[in-house]
Coordinates of all heavy atoms in Angstrom, one line a residue:
M170 N 80.2 -34.0 63.5 CA 80.7 -32.7 63.3 C 82.1 -32.8 62.6 O 82.9 -33.7 63.0 CB 80.8 -31.9 64.6 CG 81.2 -30.5 64.5 SD 79.7 -29.6 64.4 CE 80.2 -28.0 64.0
A171 N 82.3 -32.0 61.7 CA 83.6 -32.0 61.0 C 84.7 -31.4 61.8 O 84.5 -30.4 62.6 CB 83.5 -31.2 59.7
T172 N 85.9 -32.0 61.7 CA 87.1 -31.5 62.4 C 87.6 -30.3 61.6 O 87.2 -29.9 60.5 CB 88.2 -32.6 62.5 OG1 88.6 -32.9 61.2 CG2 87.7 -33.8 63.2
G173 N 88.6 -29.6 62.3 CA 89.2 -28.4 61.6 C 89.8 -28.7 60.3 O 89.7 -28.0 59.4
T174 N 90.5 -29.9 60.3 CA 91.1 -30.4 59.0 C 90.2 -30.6 57.9 O 90.4 -30.2 56.8 CB 91.9 -31.6 59.3 OG1 92.9 -31.4 60.4 CG2 92.8 -32.0 58.0
D175 N 89.0 -31.2 58.3 CA 88.0 -31.4 57.3 C 87.4 -30.1 56.7 O 87.2 -30.0 55.5 CB 86.9 -32.3 57.9 CG 87.3 -33.7 58.2 OD1 88.2 -34.2 57.6 OD2 86.6 -34.3 59.0
Q176 N 87.2 -29.2 57.6 CA 86.7 -27.9 57.2 C 87.7 -27.1 56.3 O 87.3 -26.5 55.3 CB 86.4 -27.0 58.4 CG 85.2 -27.5 59.2 CD 84.9 -26.7 60.4 OE1 85.7 -25.9 60.8 NE2 83.7 -27.0 61.0
V177 N 89.0 -27.2 56.6 CA 90.0 -26.6 55.7 C 90.0 -27.2 54.3 O 90.1 -26.5 53.3 CB 91.4 -26.6 56.4 CG1 92.5 -26.2 55.4 CG2 91.4 -25.7 57.6
V178 N 90.0 -28.6 54.3 CA 90.0 -29.3 53.1 C 88.8 -29.0 52.3 O 88.8 -28.7 51.0 CB 90.1 -30.8 53.3 CG1 89.9 -31.6 52.0 CG2 91.5 -31.2 53.9
G179 N 87.6 -28.9 52.9 CA 86.3 -28.5 52.2 C 86.4 -27.1 51.7 O 86.0 -26.9 50.5
L180 N 86.9 -26.2 52.4 CA 87.0 -24.8 51.9 C 88.0 -24.8 50.8 O 87.7 -24.0 49.8 CB 87.6 -23.9 53.1 CG 87.7 -22.5 52.7 CD1 86.4 -21.8 52.4 CD2 88.4 -21.7 53.9
G181 N 89.1 -25.6 50.8 CA 90.0 -25.6 49.7 C 89.4 -26.1 48.5 O 89.5 -25.6 47.3
L182 N 88.6 -27.2 48.6 CA 87.9 -27.8 47.4 C 86.9 -26.8 46.8 O 86.7 -26.7 45.6 CB 87.2 -29.1 47.8 CG 88.1 -30.3 48.1 CD1 87.3 -31.4 48.7 CD2 88.8 -30.6 46.8
V183 N 86.1 -26.1 47.7 CA 85.2 -25.1 47.2 C 85.9 -24.0 46.5 O 85.4 -23.5 45.5 CB 84.3 -24.6 48.4 CG1 83.5 -23.4 48.0 CG2 83.4 -25.7 48.9
A184 N 87.0 -23.5 47.1 CA 87.8 -22.4 46.5 C 88.3 -22.8 45.1 O 88.2 -22.0 44.1 CB 88.9 -22.0 47.4
V185 N 88.8 -24.1 45.0 CA 89.4 -24.5 43.7 C 88.2 -24.7 42.7 O 88.4 -24.2 41.5 CB 90.2 -25.8 43.8 CG1 90.4 -26.5 42.5 CG2 91.4 -25.6 44.6
S186 N 87.1 -25.2 43.1 CA 86.0 -25.3 42.2 C 85.4 -24.0 41.7 O 85.1 -23.8 40.5 CB 84.8 -26.0 42.9 OG 85.2 -27.4 43.3
L187 N 85.4 -23.0 42.6 CA 85.0 -21.6 42.3 C 85.9 -21.0 41.3 O 85.5 -20.4 40.3 CB 84.8 -20.8 43.5 CG 84.3 -19.4 43.3 CD1 82.9 -19.4 42.8 CD2 84.3 -18.6 44.6
I188 N 87.2 -21.2 41.4 CA 88.2 -20.7 40.5 C 88.1 -21.3 39.1 O 88.1 -20.6 38.1 CB 89.6 -20.8 41.1 CG1 89.8 -19.9 42.3 CG2 90.7 -20.5 40.0 CD1 91.1 -20.2 43.1
I189 N 87.9 -22.6 39.1 CA 87.8 -23.3 37.8 C 86.5 -22.9 37.2 O 86.5 -22.7 35.9 CB 87.8 -24.9 38.1 CG1 89.2 -25.3 38.4 CG2 87.4 -25.6 36.8 CD1 89.3 -26.7 38.9
F190 N 85.4 -22.8 37.9 CA 84.1 -22.4 37.3 C 84.2 -20.9 36.7 O 83.7 -20.7 35.6 CB 83.0 -22.4 38.4 CG 81.7 -21.9 37.9 CD1 80.9 -22.7 37.0 CD2 81.2 -20.7 38.3 CE1 79.7 -22.2 36.5 CE2 80.0 -20.2 37.8 CZ 79.2 -21.0 37.0
T191 N 84.8 -20.0 37.4 CA 85.0 -18.6 37.0 C 85.8 -18.6 35.8 O 85.5 -17.9 34.8 CB 85.5 -17.8 38.1 OG1 84.7 -17.9 39.3 CG2 85.7 -16.3 37.7
Y192 N 87.0 -19.3 35.7 CA 87.8 -19.4 34.6 C 87.1 -19.9 33.4 O 87.1 -19.3 32.2 CB 89.1 -20.2 34.8 CG 90.0 -20.3 33.7 CD1 91.0 -19.3 33.5 CD2 90.0 -21.4 32.9 CE1 91.9 -19.4 32.5 CE2 90.9 -21.5 31.8 CZ 91.9 -20.5 31.6 OH 92.7 -20.6 30.6
Y193 N 86.4 -21.1 33.5 CA 85.7 -21.7 32.4 C 84.6 -20.8 31.9 O 84.4 -20.7 30.7 CB 85.2 -23.1 32.9 CG 84.6 -23.9 31.7 CD1 85.5 -24.5 30.8 CD2 83.3 -23.9 31.5 CE1 85.0 -25.2 29.8 CE2 82.7 -24.7 30.5 CZ 83.6 -25.3 29.6 OH 83.1 -26.1 28.6
T194 N 83.8 -20.1 32.8 CA 82.8 -19.3 32.4 C 83.3 -18.1 31.6 O 82.7 -17.8 30.5 CB 82.0 -18.8 33.6 OG1 81.5 -20.0 34.3 CG2 80.8 -17.9 33.2
A195 N 84.4 -17.5 32.0 CA 85.0 -16.4 31.3 C 85.5 -16.9 29.9 O 85.3 -16.2 28.9 CB 86.1 -15.8 32.1
W196 N 86.0 -18.1 29.9 CA 86.6 -18.6 28.7 C 85.5 -18.9 27.6 O 85.7 -18.6 26.5 CB 87.3 -19.9 29.0 CG 88.1 -20.6 28.0 CD1 88.5 -20.1 26.8 CD2 88.5 -22.0 28.0 NE1 89.2 -21.1 26.1 CE2 89.1 -22.3 26.8 CE3 88.3 -23.0 28.9 CZ2 89.7 -23.5 26.5 CZ3 88.9 -24.2 28.6 CH2 89.5 -24.5 27.4
V197 N 84.4 -19.5 28.1 CA 83.4 -20.0 27.2 C 82.4 -18.9 26.8 O 81.9 -18.8 25.7 CB 82.7 -21.2 27.7 CG1 81.5 -21.6 26.9 CG2 83.7 -22.4 27.8
I198 N 82.0 -18.1 27.8 CA 80.9 -17.1 27.6 C 81.4 -15.7 27.3 O 80.9 -15.1 26.4 CB 80.0 -17.1 28.9 CG1 79.3 -18.5 29.0 CG2 78.9 -16.0 28.7 CD1 78.5 -18.6 30.2
L199 N 82.4 -15.3 28.0 CA 82.8 -13.8 27.8 C 83.8 -13.7 26.7 O 83.8 -12.7 25.9 CB 83.3 -13.3 29.1 CG 82.4 -13.2 30.2 CD1 83.1 -12.7 31.5 CD2 81.2 -12.4 29.9
L200 N 84.8 -14.6 26.5 CA 85.9 -14.5 25.6 C 85.4 -14.3 24.1 O 86.1 -13.5 23.4 CB 86.9 -15.6 25.7 CG 88.3 -15.3 25.4 CD1 88.8 -14.2 26.2 CD2 89.1 -16.5 25.6
P201 N 84.4 -15.0 23.7 CA 84.0 -14.8 22.2 C 83.6 -13.4 21.9 O 83.6 -13.0 20.7 CB 82.8 -15.7 22.1 CG 83.0 -16.8 23.1 CD 83.7 -16.1 24.2
F202 N 83.2 -12.6 22.9 CA 82.8 -11.2 22.7 C 83.9 -10.2 22.7 O 83.7 -9.0 22.4 CB 81.6 -10.8 23.7 CG 80.4 -11.6 23.5 CD1 80.1 -12.6 24.5 CD2 79.6 -11.5 22.4 CE1 79.0 -13.4 24.3 CE2 78.4 -12.2 22.3 CZ 78.2 -13.2 23.2
I203 N 85.1 -10.7 23.1 CA 86.3 -9.8 23.2 C 87.1 -9.9 21.9 O 87.2 -11.1 21.4 CB 87.1 -10.1 24.4 CG1 86.3 -9.9 25.6 CG2 88.4 -9.3 24.4 CD1 87.0 -10.4 26.9
D204 N 87.6 -8.9 21.3 CA 88.4 -8.9 20.1 C 89.5 -9.9 20.2 O 90.2 -10.0 21.2 CB 88.9 -7.5 19.9 CG 89.6 -7.4 18.5 OD1 89.2 -8.1 17.6 OD2 90.6 -6.6 18.4
S205 N 89.7 -10.6 19.1 CA 90.7 -11.7 19.2 C 92.2 -11.2 19.3 O 93.1 -11.9 19.6 CB 90.6 -12.6 17.9 OG 90.9 -11.8 16.7
Q206 N 92.4 -9.9 19.1 CA 93.7 -9.4 19.2 C 94.0 -8.8 20.6 O 95.1 -8.4 20.9 CB 93.9 -8.2 18.2 CG 93.7 -8.7 16.8 CD 94.7 -9.8 16.4 OE1 95.9 -9.8 16.8 NE2 94.2 -10.7 15.6
H207 N 93.0 -8.9 21.5 CA 93.1 -8.3 22.8 C 94.2 -9.2 23.6 O 94.3 -10.4 23.4 CB 91.8 -8.3 23.5 CG 91.7 -7.5 24.8 ND1 92.2 -7.9 26.0 CD2 91.4 -6.2 24.9 CE1 92.0 -7.0 26.9 NE2 91.5 -5.9 26.3
V208 N 94.8 -8.6 24.5 CA 95.9 -9.3 25.3 C 95.3 -10.3 26.2 O 96.1 -11.3 26.6 CB 96.7 -8.2 26.1 CG1 95.8 -7.6 27.3 CG2 98.0 -8.8 26.6
I209 N 94.1 -10.3 26.6 CA 93.5 -11.3 27.5 C 93.4 -12.7 26.9 O 93.5 -13.7 27.6 CB 92.1 -10.8 28.0 CG1 91.7 -11.6 29.2 CG2 91.1 -11.0 26.9 CD1 90.5 -11.1 30.0
H210 N 93.4 -12.8 25.6 CA 93.3 -14.1 24.9 C 94.6 -14.9 25.2 O 94.5 -16.2 25.0 CB 93.1 -13.9 23.4 CG 91.7 -13.6 23.0 ND1 90.8 -14.6 22.8 CD2 91.1 -12.4 22.8 CE1 89.6 -14.1 22.5 NE2 89.8 -12.7 22.5
K211 N 95.7 -14.3 25.5 CA 96.9 -15.2 25.8 C 96.8 -15.9 27.1 O 97.6 -16.8 27.3 CB 98.2 -14.3 25.7 CG 98.4 -13.4 27.0 CD 99.6 -12.6 26.8 CE 99.9 -11.8 28.1 NZ 101.1 -11.1 28.0
Y212 N 95.8 -15.6 27.9 CA 95.7 -16.3 29.2 C 94.8 -17.6 29.1 O 94.5 -18.2 30.1 CB 95.2 -15.4 30.3 CG 96.2 -14.3 30.6 CD1 95.9 -13.0 30.2 CD2 97.4 -14.5 31.2 CE1 96.8 -11.9 30.5 CE2 98.2 -13.5 31.5 CZ 98.0 -12.3 31.1 OH 98.9 -11.2 31.4
F213 N 94.2 -17.8 27.9 CA 93.2 -18.8 27.7 C 93.7 -19.8 26.6 O 94.4 -19.3 25.6 CB 91.8 -18.3 27.4 CG 91.2 -17.5 28.5 CD1 91.4 -16.1 28.5 CD2 90.4 -18.1 29.4 CE1 90.8 -15.4 29.6 CE2 89.8 -17.4 30.4 CZ 90.0 -16.0 30.5
L214 N 93.3 -21.0 26.7 CA 93.6 -22.0 25.7 C 92.7 -21.8 24.4 O 91.7 -21.0 24.6 CB 93.4 -23.4 26.2 CG 94.3 -23.9 27.3 CD1 93.8 -25.2 27.9 CD2 95.7 -24.1 26.7
P215 N 93.0 -22.4 23.3 CA 92.1 -22.2 22.2 C 90.7 -22.8 22.5 O 90.5 -23.6 23.4 CB 92.8 -23.1 21.1 CG 94.2 -23.1 21.5 CD 94.2 -23.0 23.0
R216 N 89.7 -22.3 21.8 CA 88.3 -22.7 22.1 C 88.0 -24.2 21.9 O 87.1 -24.7 22.5 CB 87.3 -21.8 21.3 CG 86.9 -20.6 22.1 CD 85.7 -20.0 21.4 NE 86.0 -18.7 21.0 CZ 85.5 -18.1 19.9 NH1 84.7 -18.8 19.1 NH2 85.9 -16.9 19.6
A217 N 88.8 -24.9 21.1 CA 88.5 -26.3 20.9 C 88.7 -27.0 22.2 O 88.0 -28.1 22.4 CB 89.4 -26.8 19.8
Y218 N 89.6 -26.6 23.0 CA 89.8 -27.3 24.3 C 88.6 -27.1 25.3 O 88.5 -27.7 26.3 CB 91.1 -26.8 25.0 CG 92.3 -27.2 24.2 CD1 93.1 -26.3 23.6 CD2 92.7 -28.6 24.2 CE1 94.3 -26.7 22.9 CE2 93.8 -29.0 23.5 CZ 94.6 -28.1 22.9 OH 95.7 -28.5 22.3
A219 N 87.8 -26.0 25.0 CA 86.7 -25.8 25.9 C 85.7 -26.9 25.9 O 84.9 -27.1 26.9 CB 86.0 -24.5 25.5
V220 N 85.6 -27.7 24.8 CA 84.8 -28.9 24.7 C 85.6 -30.1 25.0 O 85.1 -31.0 25.8 CB 84.2 -29.0 23.3 CG1 83.4 -30.3 23.1 CG2 83.3 -27.8 23.0
A221 N 86.8 -30.2 24.6 CA 87.6 -31.4 24.8 C 88.0 -31.7 26.3 O 88.0 -32.8 26.7 CB 88.9 -31.3 23.9
I222 N 88.3 -30.7 27.0 CA 88.8 -30.9 28.4 C 87.6 -31.4 29.2 O 87.7 -32.4 30.0 CB 89.4 -29.6 29.0 CG1 90.8 -29.4 28.3 CG2 89.6 -29.7 30.5 CD1 91.4 -28.1 28.7
P223 N 86.4 -30.8 29.2 CA 85.3 -31.3 30.0 C 84.9 -32.7 29.5 O 84.5 -33.6 30.4 CB 84.2 -30.3 29.9 CG 84.9 -29.1 29.5 CD 86.0 -29.4 28.7
L224 N 84.9 -32.9 28.2 CA 84.6 -34.2 27.7 C 85.6 -35.3 28.2 O 85.1 -36.4 28.7 CB 84.6 -34.3 26.2 CG 84.2 -35.5 25.5 CD1 82.8 -35.9 25.8 CD2 84.5 -35.4 24.0
A225 N 86.9 -35.1 28.2 CA 87.9 -36.0 28.7 C 87.7 -36.2 30.2 O 87.8 -37.3 30.7 CB 89.2 -35.5 28.4
A226 N 87.4 -35.1 30.9 CA 87.2 -35.3 32.4 C 86.0 -36.1 32.7 O 86.0 -36.9 33.6 CB 87.1 -33.9 33.0
G227 N 84.9 -35.9 32.0 CA 83.7 -36.7 32.1 C 83.9 -38.2 31.8 O 83.4 -39.0 32.5
L228 N 84.6 -38.4 30.7 CA 84.9 -39.8 30.4 C 85.8 -40.5 31.5 O 85.6 -41.6 31.9 CB 85.6 -39.9 29.1 CG 84.7 -39.6 27.9 CD1 85.5 -39.6 26.6 CD2 83.6 -40.6 27.8
M229 N 86.8 -39.8 32.0 CA 87.6 -40.3 33.1 C 86.8 -40.5 34.3 O 87.0 -41.6 35.0 CB 88.8 -39.3 33.4 CG 89.8 -39.2 32.2 SD 90.6 -40.7 31.9 CE 91.7 -40.9 33.3
L230 N 85.9 -39.6 34.6 CA 85.0 -39.8 35.8 C 84.2 -41.1 35.7 O 84.1 -41.9 36.6 CB 84.1 -38.6 36.0 CG 83.1 -38.7 37.1 CD1 83.9 -38.7 38.5 CD2 82.2 -37.6 37.1
L231 N 83.5 -41.3 34.5 CA 82.8 -42.4 34.2 C 83.6 -43.7 34.3 O 83.2 -44.7 34.8 CB 82.1 -42.3 32.9 CG 80.9 -41.4 32.8 CD1 80.4 -41.3 31.3 CD2 79.8 -41.9 33.7
L232 N 84.8 -43.6 33.8 CA 85.7 -44.8 33.8 C 86.0 -45.2 35.3 O 85.9 -46.3 35.7 CB 87.0 -44.5 33.1 CG 88.1 -45.5 33.2 CD1 87.7 -46.8 32.4 CD2 89.4 -45.0 32.8
F233 N 86.4 -44.2 36.1 CA 86.7 -44.5 37.5 C 85.5 -45.0 38.3 O 85.7 -45.9 39.2 CB 87.4 -43.3 38.1 CG 88.8 -43.1 37.7 CD1 89.2 -41.9 37.2 CD2 89.8 -44.1 37.7 CE1 90.5 -41.7 36.7 CE2 91.0 -44.0 37.3 CZ 91.4 -42.7 36.8
V234 N 84.4 -44.4 38.1 CA 83.1 -44.9 38.7 C 82.8 -46.3 38.3 O 82.5 -47.2 39.2 CB 81.9 -44.0 38.5 CG1 80.7 -44.6 38.9 CG2 82.1 -42.6 39.1
G235 N 83.0 -46.6 37.0 CA 82.7 -48.0 36.5 C 83.7 -49.0 37.1 O 83.4 -50.0 37.5
L236 N 85.0 -48.6 37.2 CA 86.0 -49.4 37.8 C 85.7 -49.7 39.3 O 85.9 -50.8 39.8 CB 87.4 -48.9 37.6 CG 87.9 -48.9 36.2 CD1 89.3 -48.2 36.1 CD2 88.2 -50.4 35.8
F237 N 85.3 -48.7 40.0 CA 85.0 -48.8 41.4 C 83.9 -49.7 41.6 O 83.9 -50.6 42.5 CB 84.8 -47.4 42.0 CG 84.4 -47.5 43.5 CD1 85.3 -47.7 44.5 CD2 83.0 -47.3 43.8 CE1 84.9 -47.8 45.8 CE2 82.7 -47.3 45.2 CZ 83.6 -47.6 46.1
I238 N 82.8 -49.5 40.8 CA 81.6 -50.4 41.0 C 82.0 -51.8 40.7 O 81.6 -52.8 41.3 CB 80.5 -49.9 40.1 CG1 79.9 -48.6 40.7 CG2 79.4 -50.9 40.0 CD1 78.9 -47.9 39.8
T239 N 82.8 -52.0 39.6 CA 83.2 -53.4 39.2 C 84.1 -54.0 40.3 O 83.8 -55.2 40.7 CB 84.0 -53.3 37.9 OG1 83.2 -52.8 36.9 CG2 84.5 -54.7 37.5
Y240 N 85.0 -53.2 40.9 CA 85.8 -53.7 42.0 C 85.0 -54.2 43.2 O 85.2 -55.2 43.8 CB 86.8 -52.7 42.4 CG 87.6 -53.0 43.6 CD1 88.6 -54.0 43.6 CD2 87.3 -52.4 44.8 CE1 89.3 -54.3 44.7 CE2 88.1 -52.7 46.0 CZ 89.0 -53.7 45.9 OH 89.8 -54.0 47.0
V241 N 84.0 -53.3 43.6 CA 83.2 -53.6 44.8 C 82.3 -54.9 44.5 O 82.2 -55.7 45.4 CB 82.3 -52.4 45.1 CG1 81.3 -52.7 46.2 CG2 83.2 -51.3 45.6
M242 N 81.7 -55.0 43.3 CA 80.9 -56.1 43.0 C 81.7 -57.4 43.0 O 81.3 -58.4 43.5 CB 80.2 -55.9 41.6 CG 79.1 -54.8 41.7 SD 78.3 -54.6 40.1 CE 77.5 -56.1 39.9
L243 N 82.9 -57.4 42.4 CA 83.8 -58.6 42.4 C 84.2 -58.9 43.8 O 84.3 -60.2 44.2 CB 85.0 -58.3 41.5 CG 84.6 -58.3 40.0 CD1 85.9 -58.0 39.2 CD2 84.1 -59.6 39.5
K244 N 84.5 -58.0 44.6 CA 85.0 -58.2 46.0 C 83.8 -58.8 46.8 O 84.0 -59.8 47.5 CB 85.4 -56.9 46.6 CG 86.1 -57.1 48.0 CD 86.6 -55.8 48.5 CE 87.2 -56.0 49.9 NZ 87.6 -54.7 50.5
N245 N 82.6 -58.3 46.6 CA 81.4 -58.9 47.4 C 81.1 -60.3 46.8 O 80.6 -61.1 47.6 CB 80.2 -57.9 47.1 CG 80.3 -56.7 48.0 OD1 81.1 -56.7 49.0 ND2 79.6 -55.7 47.6
Q246 N 81.3 -60.5 45.6 CA 81.0 -61.9 45.0 C 82.1 -62.9 45.6 O 81.6 -64.0 45.9 CB 81.2 -61.8 43.5 CG 80.8 -63.1 42.8 CD 81.0 -63.0 41.3 OE1 81.5 -62.0 40.8 NE2 80.4 -63.9 40.6
K247 N 83.3 -62.5 45.8 CA 84.2 -63.4 46.4 C 83.9 -63.7 47.9 O 84.1 -64.8 48.3 CB 85.7 -62.8 46.3 CG 86.2 -62.8 44.9 CD 87.6 -62.3 44.8 CE 88.0 -62.2 43.3 NZ 89.4 -61.5 43.2
V248 N 83.5 -62.7 48.6 CA 83.2 -62.8 50.0 C 82.0 -63.7 50.1 O 82.0 -64.6 51.0 CB 82.9 -61.4 50.6 CG1 82.3 -61.6 52.0 CG2 84.1 -60.7 50.7
T249 N 81.0 -63.7 49.3 CA 79.8 -64.5 49.4 C 80.1 -66.0 49.1 O 79.5 -66.9 49.6 CB 78.6 -64.0 48.5 OG1 79.1 -63.9 47.2 CG2 78.2 -62.7 49.0
K250 N 81.1 -66.2 48.1 CA 81.5 -67.5 47.8 C 82.2 -68.2 49.0 O 82.1 -69.4 49.2 CB 82.4 -67.5 46.6 CG 81.7 -67.4 45.3 CD 82.6 -67.5 44.1 CE 81.9 -67.3 42.8 NZ 82.8 -67.4 41.6
K251 N 83.0 -67.4 49.7 CA 83.8 -67.9 50.8 C 82.8 -68.3 52.0 O 83.0 -69.3 52.7 CB 84.8 -66.9 51.3 CG 86.0 -66.8 50.5 CD 87.0 -65.8 51.0 CE 88.2 -65.6 50.1 NZ 89.1 -64.7 50.6
V252 N 81.7 -67.6 52.1 CA 80.7 -67.8 53.2 C 80.0 -69.1 52.9 O 79.7 -69.9 53.8 CB 79.8 -66.6 53.4 CG1 78.6 -66.9 54.3 CG2 80.6 -65.4 53.9
Q253 N 79.6 -69.3 51.7 CA 78.9 -70.5 51.4 C 79.7 -71.7 51.4 O 80.1 -72.6 51.7 CB 78.3 -70.4 49.9 CG 77.3 -69.3 49.9 CD 76.7 -69.1 48.5 OE1 77.2 -69.7 47.5 NE2 75.8 -68.2 48.4

């Protein structure tokens, strides 16, 4: 069972994810249908970043996953050499 701290952290992560999802959805799906002179456009980045930011985040995620897997594999390889 999760402790109170775990539940608060989980709720915070869900809330942040929901806010990011809502902002990105409004930015990518709704904003193209609103006139470019409307005041709401000043709260959003240019549309080119709508592709660049998720692409960079995905590449960083793949990099860190690859580094973690490499680290674990090298660490396990050293442990098995010591055992033999």
Side-chain angles (χ1 to χ4, degrees):
M170 188 91 192
T172 64
T174 305
D175 292 339
Q176 290 177 348
V177 170
V178 169
L180 180 64
L182 289 172
V183 169
V185 167
S186 298
L187 184 62
I188 290 168
I189 290 171
F190 175 75
T191 304
Y192 178 85
Y193 187 77
T194 301
W196 183 23
V197 172
I198 295 176
L199 299 178
L200 210 59
F202 296 107
I203 299 174
D204 185 31
S205 62
Q206 302 302 320
H207 196 276
V208 70
I209 198 166
H210 279 275
K211 73 178 184 179
Y212 297 109
F213 295 90
L214 293 171
R216 265 197 242 145
Y218 291 112
V220 174
I222 291 173
L224 180 66
L228 288 174
M229 293 297 288
L230 177 68
L231 286 175
L232 174 71
F233 287 125
V234 168
L236 287 173
F237 176 74
I238 290 171
T239 302
Y240 172 75
V241 169
M242 289 179 67
L243 289 175
K244 187 176 178 182
N245 285 340
Q246 186 179 13
K247 288 179 184 177
V248 169
T249 55
K250 282 185 180 179
K251 287 181 182 179
V252 171
Q253 293 176 354

